[in-house]
Amino acid sequence: MQKKLFCLLFFTHFVLISQVSINGVIIDQNSKKPLSFATVKTNDSSYALTSVKGEFTIRCNTYPVRLTISYLGYQKKTIIITKKKPEKLSIELVAQEENLGAVKLKSSQNTAAKIIDKAIRNKKQNNPDKSLSSYSYKSYNKLKITEDHQAHLKTNDTSNVDMEHLFNKAHSFLSEKISLHQFKKNIGQKETVLATKMSGFKKPIYNILGIKIQSNSLYDEDYTIFNNKYIAPLSKRALKNYHYKVLDTTQGNTPAFVILFQPRKSKNFASLEGVLYLDIKTLAIQKAIIELRGELNVMAIHNFKYLTEKESWFPTRQEITIRPGNGRQKISLFGGQISVGRIGNNNKNNPKNNDFLISTTDLFDIQLNENKSLNLSQATIKVDPLANNRSESYWNKYRTNAITEKDLNSFPIVDSIVKAQNIERRIDVIQSFNTGYYPVGFFNFDLTYPVKFNNYEGLRVGLGGKTNTKFSNRFRLEGYLVYGFRDSKFKHGVGGGILLNKNSDSWLNINYKDDVKEVGSFLYLTDRRVYSLFEPRLVNIDFYYKHKTWSTSLQQQIFPKLMSETQFSISDIDQTGGYRYINNNTSFSSYKTSEVTIALRWNPFSEFLKTPNQFKEIHEGYPKITAQYTQGFKGIFDSDFEYRKIGLKAEYIINRINQSQTSFLLEADYASGNIPLTHLYHTYPNAPTKETALRRFSVAGRRTFETMYFGEFFSDKLATLQVKHRIKPIHITNWLKPELVFISRYAIGEVSDTEKHQEVNFSSLQQGYQESGLEINKLFAGFGLSFAYRYGAYHLPEFEDNISFKFTFYLKL
């Protein structure tokens, strides 16, 4: 279905001061069909291209206006407008054949395809990242969220002003950034943020600095708009996904083909359209205008400059405008759906009351093939410690896009709104909530402690948390206290840490816990904290052991992509049931362990932002690899057993441009020595031991085996593989976009010396465990449905014992 398109305009200062706006449509005289992307020029140098419907809007200073319309394969036409006309102009062009070299323009589509095919083959010599050994430049970026209509602020009281309502006196959000960019072949790019300023905020919101609003290069396979990827117009896949047509040629010292590109069919992953200006001689990009229409309406412009010393075109300016489209999609700049930084069309009574985002970036001080060292072992983006405290003279030195009176008004007005609505506090709450904390002053309350339930403790309630940077940048304290109503016992933990090295984020910690732990659970020290409102497995677990554990650990970010943690722990362990471990003819129900654990997490393809205080992962790359080794010692602090445990985990996710996703999670665990059941492995089973499938109805987990019963299998050698394939979300309505996920899980393992484990019954996984199923996620308020079926060697005689039917819950803030 043909998409609605608005006109592509060049946003210059002429637009801002213009008083005359002319609307029209360009059509073929004979067929009366619209001519998309025809060129419309005025006598005062205003310029526009028609939309796919042939429509245009152009602004100029005063009447009379001389319009010149040109379109490849048609006679050029000039009309003079002497006074304002309320109706839309309808301008007809007459077709004619002209020669473009030796090729007639009647076959401009075939010509365009040949030109694009050659341009794709020439990318290596035209792409600065391929043709140059190194380069550097500085950039000035201005990001604004503003409004496309005249709305007046009628009160000085900003306490009740919604930040989604914007005014003509100020923008709702304005940020500036000055950066140094460096590139070296075979190493990559690095950005150093030299200065940053965000209206209304005392400190930068670093999430914004890591957002990729617009691709820097048009030669990549994908083009990015606000972290969403689309097939680029010069991708190797482009000719299969886009139609191309020669619209015009430009004259001058460096003439260019003007080529229209449009999607072959409606596809979310190939829905860009626009025009490319390709140098006739080299087919390098001189300029590009890119449009995207849908839930958001986007127009992006790229300008290039010809550098004679290297005979290459280098980018000099990028601009992107994002407006609400035909849906209710919102953009968040702050890590959650908060009113600041959102774009949405929620005013049904006044659809013109639309806010929009504009980002402009100017490149200057371009230096090519510099012989300078570049170290990317650190972060991809680094924030200079002085970036937030630059003087106005520093800003004026580098500003290429002048600050307007409206920009200046933004700072005091938005300051008052941010303060009145406590926006910084709301952002802090959302970002903390994503990791399971709720900040109150200098203390972050841990949301995993207030209420839980399991089959051993029954209802478990309590409080816990840790101090934040408002308490200290160098020290932290943490602790919790909980009570189980079924076992009538208090559990608690206390601890603290000291920052040893800010650059490597090195912390030395000491902790004590008196609590219970699930038998057979195995956690990696370096795993990132994942918070969910629901923890479904906890409800059905009934096999725990008690432990009192002292531990000290050293956490280090050796490199941004390599994290380590080393821990020494001493535990007194007791059983909650009748389990006994037999070793050297001695029966143990209580015992002591002393362990040293070394864990590493490597994210070789992730990208990181280095703030003055910490590293932030701004792009998740795959694979992610985690390894952990534990050595248990006998005789140290009266410990009873000597053993070894090794764990290796690899996660790989393929995010396709058509919005489908395939993920793989492979884990291998190995344990040897004298090791009780409490310290062996399970596969995270999630099937309650109830008689019928309906009584087993609960909430599915993220990495759990849904048809495997609790306590059914334990292993000292274990390998698991989980494969998930999510198809493109199914668009039913703007608020209902369910996701269909196909899942297969496999496990194989064995357990030695089963006779040493007394008073329990379990099996090994020597024959291999298999289950498959599907999830339909995000049906309502984050809830969905899950179905899984158990088959293969461990298939059970009764059909209903092999099936799992549950809720799923995926909440995205």
Side-chain angles (χ1 to χ4, degrees):
M1 186 178 72
Q2 190 180 52
K3 296 181 177 181
K4 297 181 179 180
L5 297 172
F6 65 85
C7 300
L8 295 172
L9 302 174
F10 290 97
F11 286 85
T12 66
H13 64 281
F14 293 104
V15 175
L16 297 176
I17 62 175
S18 61
Q19 301 296 322
V20 176
S21 180
I22 299 173
N23 299 316
V25 60
I26 310 298
I27 60 176
D28 181 282
Q29 185 183 56
N30 295 325
S31 67
K32 307 302 180 184
K33 291 183 179 180
L35 300 177
S36 54
F37 293 94
T39 302
V40 183
K41 296 181 182 178
T42 69
N43 50 300
D44 61 0
S45 301
S46 293
Y47 186 102
L49 294 172
T50 60
S51 71
V52 74
K53 288 189 173 182
E55 298 172 341
F56 71 91
T57 298
I58 196 166
R59 295 181 177 89
C60 50
N61 294 332
T62 58
Y63 291 107
V65 178
R66 179 190 296 270
L67 291 183
T68 301
I69 301 95
S70 58
Y71 194 73
L72 198 60
Y74 287 79
Q75 296 178 11
K76 185 179 293 186
K77 188 170 187 176
T78 300
I79 63 173
I80 298 176
I81 303 172
T82 57
K83 61 180 180 179
K84 183 176 181 180
K85 296 183 178 182
E87 71 277 5
K88 180 186 291 187
L89 293 174
S90 180
I91 302 172
E92 298 180 350
L93 296 186
V94 178
Q96 72 172 18
E97 289 192 12
E98 297 178 4
N99 287 332
L100 183 62
V103 183
K104 290 188 176 182
L105 294 180
K106 285 288 186 177
S107 60
S108 62
Q109 289 188 4
N110 292 333
T111 303
K114 293 177 181 178
I115 293 172
I116 293 297
D117 180 63
K118 188 174 181 181
I120 293 171
R121 287 186 278 113
N122 285 2
K123 283 200 302 181
K124 187 173 181 179
Q125 66 190 53
N126 292 327
N127 182 359
D129 290 357
K130 302 294 184 182
S131 62
L132 300 175
S133 61
S134 65
Y135 60 78
S136 68
Y137 62 87
K138 290 187 177 72
S139 69
Y140 169 75
N141 171 264
K142 183 161 67 174
L143 171 67
K144 298 189 289 188
I145 302 175
T146 183
E147 185 174 69
D148 199 21
H149 83 300
Q150 299 296 317
H152 295 276
L153 183 65
K154 298 180 179 180
T155 175
N156 293 323
D157 179 12
T158 56
S159 59
N160 295 317
V161 178
D162 187 347
M163 287 296 288
E164 286 184 285
H165 183 76
L166 313 166
F167 356 88
N168 66 323
K169 290 187 178 181
H171 308 292
S172 73
F173 180 76
L174 171 66
S175 75
E176 297 179 277
K177 182 178 70 169
I178 299 168
S179 295
L180 169 65
H181 301 259
Q182 297 168 287
F183 168 83
K184 195 164 187 178
K185 187 179 286 188
N186 301 324
I187 295 180
Q189 296 200 30
K190 181 175 182 178
E191 176 185 357
T192 302
V193 179
L194 303 175
T196 180
K197 182 189 295 185
M198 299 180 187
S199 59
F201 298 93
K202 297 177 182 178
K203 296 182 179 180
I205 307 299
Y206 291 111
N207 301 60
I208 295 177
L209 300 179
I211 293 175
K212 193 168 187 179
I213 297 178
Q214 177 184 16
S215 280
N216 295 326
S217 175
L218 287 161
Y219 292 104
D220 294 337
E221 286 298 293
D222 301 330
Y223 187 85
T224 300
I225 298 175
F226 238 95
N227 287 339
N228 293 319
K229 292 184 177 181
Y230 304 87
I231 294 177
L234 290 185
S235 164
K236 293 178 181 178
R237 301 162 289 172
L239 288 168
K240 296 180 180 179
N241 289 279
Y242 292 109
H243 283 295
Y244 293 88
K245 182 178 181 181
V246 179
L247 296 181
D248 205 344
T249 58
T250 64
Q251 305 303 314
N253 294 331
T254 54
F257 297 114
V258 183
I259 297 182
L260 166 71
F261 66 92
Q262 294 175 298
R264 287 185 175 272
K265 55 183 178 180
S266 179
K267 296 180 180 179
N268 285 337
F269 55 94
S271 52
L272 303 177
E273 47 195 308
V275 289
L276 297 174
Y277 291 71
L278 300 181
D279 187 289
I280 288 179
K281 182 179 179 181
T282 65
L283 297 183
I285 301 174
Q286 295 182 3
K287 185 171 189 170
I289 302 174
I290 297 173
E291 186 179 6
L292 173 69
R293 297 289 285 177
E295 290 192 335
L296 294 174
N297 294 335
V298 179
M299 185 178 73
I301 299 174
H302 292 256
N303 288 321
F304 294 75
K305 177 183 178 181
Y306 187 70
L307 304 178
T308 55
E309 66 272 22
K310 296 299 177 183
E311 297 183 343
S312 64
W313 290 87
F314 199 88
T316 56
R317 182 177 173 86
Q318 297 172 194
E319 180 177 328
I320 188 166
T321 303
I322 303 178
R323 300 171 184 265
N326 56 25
R328 300 173 62 88
Q329 181 173 338
K330 295 188 180 294
I331 289 177
S332 171
L333 297 178
F334 306 113
Q337 289 189 354
I338 194 169
S339 57
V340 176
R342 298 194 301 175
I343 293 181
N345 185 4
N346 295 322
N347 191 339
K348 296 180 180 179
N349 297 324
N350 185 11
K352 293 184 178 181
N353 184 10
N354 296 334
D355 38 318
F356 65 104
L357 178 148
I358 299 177
S359 174
T360 57
T361 302
D362 289 307
L363 284 61
F364 53 94
D365 288 353
I366 300 170
Q367 304 292 329
L368 305 182
N369 289 339
E370 288 183 310
N371 190 20
K372 291 185 177 181
S373 61
L374 181 62
N375 182 8
L376 279 187
S377 63
Q378 299 300 314
T380 305
I381 304 176
K382 179 183 178 181
V383 181
D384 190 289
L386 300 177
N388 196 44
N389 299 301
R390 298 296 189 183
S391 65
E392 195 62 25
S393 61
Y394 185 94
W395 282 101
N396 291 333
K397 179 181 177 182
Y398 290 105
R399 277 188 181 122
T400 57
N401 190 345
I403 291 292
T404 66
E405 181 180 355
K406 185 174 182 180
D407 294 337
L408 293 174
N409 286 333
S410 293
F411 291 101
I413 293 179
V414 177
D415 282 350
S416 63
I417 295 175
V418 169
K419 183 177 180 180
Q421 294 193 19
N422 207 7
I423 297 298
E424 287 186 293
R425 161 69 179 167
R426 292 163 65 185
I427 293 173
D428 186 27
V429 168
I430 283 181
Q431 293 181 349
S432 298
F433 186 82
N434 286 334
T435 55
Y437 290 101
Y438 184 83
V440 178
F442 64 83
F443 194 77
N444 289 350
F445 284 93
D446 193 326
L447 300 177
T448 64
Y449 287 118
V451 180
K452 287 185 179 180
F453 183 89
N454 61 67
N455 283 334
Y456 172 71
E457 296 174 286
L459 182 64
R460 173 179 166 130
V461 298
L463 287 176
K466 64 180 181 180
T467 58
N468 54 42
T469 54
K470 293 180 180 178
F471 174 78
S472 173
N473 287 318
R474 296 296 304 273
F475 303 95
R476 64 188 179 200
L477 299 174
E478 58 185 302
Y480 69 91
L481 177 66
V482 298
Y483 181 78
F485 282 87
R486 180 173 294 174
D487 65 343
S488 302
K489 297 289 184 181
F490 281 98
K491 293 91 179 176
H492 65 277
V494 293
I498 180 172
L499 180 63
L500 300 180
N501 188 307
K502 184 171 69 173
N503 291 329
S504 62
D505 200 22
S506 300
W507 286 84
L508 179 64
N509 308 295
I510 185 169
N511 294 87
Y512 173 77
K513 288 185 179 181
D514 182 352
D515 208 336
V516 295
K517 192 174 182 180
E518 182 187 3
V519 171
S521 58
F522 179 72
L523 301 176
Y524 291 87
L525 297 180
T526 54
D527 273 358
R528 289 190 304 179
R529 177 185 170 96
V530 177
Y531 172 68
S532 175
L533 287 175
F534 291 95
E535 296 183 73
R537 289 192 70 254
L538 297 180
V539 176
N540 300 298
I541 300 172
D542 57 5
F543 198 6
Y544 288 91
Y545 65 93
K546 304 173 188 177
H547 72 100
K548 296 179 181 179
T549 301
W550 284 96
S551 65
T552 181
S553 66
L554 176 63
Q555 297 172 313
Q556 283 185 294
Q557 195 133 10
I558 302 173
F559 303 109
K561 299 180 180 183
L562 181 63
M563 176 183 290
S564 74
E565 184 168 351
T566 303
Q567 177 181 276
F568 175 69
S569 64
I570 305 166
S571 299
D572 286 310
I573 295 172
D574 199 1
Q575 308 304 316
T576 60
Y579 171 72
R580 292 179 297 112
Y581 179 62
I582 307 299
N583 185 49
N584 294 330
N585 297 318
T586 302
S587 176
F588 293 88
S589 60
S590 300
Y591 41 87
K592 292 184 178 182
T593 63
S594 296
E595 297 180 338
V596 170
T597 300
I598 301 174
L600 295 170
R601 188 180 76 207
W602 185 38
N603 305 327
F605 299 103
S606 292
E607 294 180 1
F608 291 83
L609 166 71
K610 177 64 171 71
T611 74
N613 296 317
Q614 65 180 129
F615 290 98
K616 288 179 175 288
E617 188 176 18
I618 56 176
H619 169 72
E620 284 192 295
Y622 295 94
K624 294 186 174 186
I625 300 172
T626 307
Q628 184 164 297
Y629 175 78
T630 298
Q631 177 68 56
F633 298 96
K634 182 178 181 180
I636 296 181
F637 294 98
D638 299 323
S639 58
D640 293 299
F641 308 120
E642 182 171 338
Y643 52 85
R644 290 152 298 280
K645 296 178 66 176
I646 300 173
L648 181 65
K649 180 172 64 174
E651 182 180 8
Y652 189 77
I653 296 179
I654 303 171
N655 290 302
R656 297 181 181 84
I657 207 162
N658 64 357
Q659 299 183 37
S660 68
Q661 181 190 85
T662 304
S663 66
F664 303 87
L665 180 62
L666 176 64
E667 186 169 351
D669 304 307
Y670 174 83
S672 64
N674 299 316
I675 184 165
L677 190 67
T678 52
H679 288 56
L680 293 183
Y681 307 106
H682 61 47
T683 59
Y684 289 91
N686 196 30
T689 52
K690 304 290 181 63
E691 293 181 359
T692 64
L694 289 178
R695 294 187 65 186
R696 295 192 295 270
F697 188 82
S698 58
V699 182
R702 303 292 177 91
R703 52 169 292 189
T704 53
F705 280 71
E706 301 301 330
T707 62
M708 186 182 293
Y709 294 95
F710 286 94
E712 188 177 3
F713 300 98
F714 289 97
S715 305
D716 54 26
K717 301 175 186 64
L718 177 65
T720 62
L721 173 64
Q722 301 190 37
V723 182
K724 295 184 179 182
H725 178 72
R726 186 193 71 196
I727 67 172
K728 172 187 170 184
I730 303 169
H731 187 111
I732 298 175
T733 67
N734 288 329
W735 59 268
L736 181 58
K737 300 175 185 177
E739 298 176 351
L740 183 62
V741 184
F742 299 94
I743 301 173
S744 291
R745 300 184 179 96
Y746 310 92
I748 188 168
E750 63 178 60
V751 59
S752 305
D753 303 322
T754 55
E755 69 280 358
K756 290 185 176 182
H757 306 288
Q758 300 293 313
E759 308 297 333
V760 292
N761 293 314
F762 62 92
S763 301
S764 73
L765 289 164
Q766 286 182 319
Q767 300 180 58
Y769 189 95
Q770 302 171 75
E771 72 173 28
S772 294
L774 59 87
E775 294 178 352
I776 307 175
N777 297 322
K778 301 180 182 179
L779 289 172
F780 177 75
F783 284 97
L785 295 173
S786 165
F787 172 82
Y789 182 72
R790 172 177 179 162
Y791 59 96
Y794 294 101
H795 182 271
L796 299 173
E798 296 295 329
F799 173 78
E800 69 172 358
D801 291 338
N802 296 287
I803 62 174
S804 166
F805 181 61
K806 301 176 182 179
F807 276 129
T808 64
F809 185 76
Y810 290 85
L811 177 64
K812 183 178 180 181
L813 293 177

